[in-house]
Amino acid sequence: MPPRKGHGCSQGGQPAGWDSLAAMGIVAGVSMLVSLVLILFFAPLEKEMGIVQKIFYVHVASAFAAFTAFGLTFICSIAYLVRRSRAYDQVAASSVEVGLVFCTIVLLTGPIWARAAWGVWWTWDPRLTTTLVLWLIYVGYLLLRASAMRERRRAVAAVYGIIGFIDVPIVFMSIRWWRTIHPVVIELGGIGLSPRMKLVFFITLLAFFLWYLYLLMIRWRVAALEEEIDDLRKRRISEGSIP
Amino acid sequence: MIYFAAAYLIVWAIFLSYGLILGGRLRRAERRIRSSR
């Protein structure tokens, strides 16, 4: 599709229609309910921590969903700078917003688990600190998008989306690089969980991933529609039909 | 038990709130685009 005049970028791909959204909603919703039932009734109780350990499933799955979201923003930001397609910019921005929802869950469930396990709500541990920094970086991304000039907003946000992603591998590696009290569950040798815990963990990971995709599909549709409304309004102003 | 319940309530409350906000924005945008065309 040729570039649209006045925007300096092409329209690119289109967000999912109502049928795809409904189908994805059913798949993601059922997956989330299945994972919840498995966590409650199938996953065994951990010997030392008991039921509190079950926070682990949603805490880690949310972290992986957030990493995936920010990773997609990183890829789409590069793609936008190369192709100048609106769709990449819309997906990048949508993915940040959905990723922040998951990152917020990580930052809220973590302290609850920490209170039960360590006796404190928060400690300036490398993993906790880098995760808080990650959250702040992407809040900054959304603030930047809301404040930057329209013509340059997409390119500036894309550069920010690329640079901001640097913190994701730092968060992941922080418990391996520095001395920390945060547990290391996923190691090179495998995952330190019993077979039943491992099964529930992977199903929860998949469910959260599907839930992230579903939210992203809706958010992208909202972004595309809002831009279309904005374009229509601008066109009418330029044609003189709106004073 | 209280920590476990609090964590899961927070997770589902966040998903529900965000879902409602997103659904509202989508419906509003669809309505505005229909009336603009």
Side-chain angles (χ1 to χ4, degrees), chain A residues 18 32 39-40 51 54 58 97-98 101-102 105 108 112 115-116 211 219 221 225-226 228-229 236, chain B residues 1 3-4 6-8 10-12 14-15 18-19 22-23 25-26 28-30 32-33 35-37:
Chain A
W18 278 107
M32 288 294 280
I39 289 165
L40 288 173
I51 198 165
K54 291 191 178 191
V58 288
E97 191 180 292
V98 178
V101 171
F102 286 98
I105 289 173
L108 291 175
I112 295 172
R115 181 74 178 88
W211 192 244
R219 185 62 188 83
R221 191 174 172 85
L225 287 172
E226 285 178 348
E228 201 178 329
I229 292 165
R236 284 186 182 168
Chain B
M1 183 67 189
Y3 294 117
F4 169 77
Y8 276 77
I10 284 171
V11 171
W12 285 90
I14 287 174
F15 282 145
Y18 186 62
L22 216 49
R25 278 181 74 177
L26 182 60
R28 208 160 41 246
E30 297 270 7
R32 283 181 66 189
I33 207 97
S35 62
S36 316
R37 277 172 182 160

Side-chain angles (χ1 to χ4, degrees), chain A residues 156-174:
Chain A
V156 172
V159 172
Y160 191 106
I162 294 165
I163 296 169
F165 184 72
I166 292 170
D167 194 39
V168 171
I170 294 173
V171 173
F172 186 77
M173 294 306 291
S174 59

